Amino acid sequence: MLDKGEVVERGNHRELVAQNGLYAGLLNDSIEQTKGEQKAAS
């Protein structure tokens, strides 16, 4: 995972989620956005 051009996290999806860092935060933000969009569409 890069942040401002620097490697801040390394690993596969499962490892990055377990680190609960930048990658996990972006993933959770994406999931929440998708839920909001699905709720608005129904």
Side-chain angles (χ1 to χ4, degrees):
M1 183 76 195
L2 295 175
D3 184 23
K4 298 176 185 156
E6 297 207 23
V7 176
V8 293
E9 298 174 10
R10 294 178 191 263
N12 61 34
H13 171 76
R14 184 172 289 172
E15 293 166 341
L16 290 166
V17 170
Q19 291 175 30
N20 202 29
L22 183 61
Y23 180 89
L26 291 172
L27 179 63
N28 288 331
D29 289 348
S30 177
I31 290 168
E32 290 303 315
Q33 182 178 357
T34 300
K35 286 180 182 177
E37 290 170 357
Q38 288 174 345
K39 195 177 241 185
S42 47

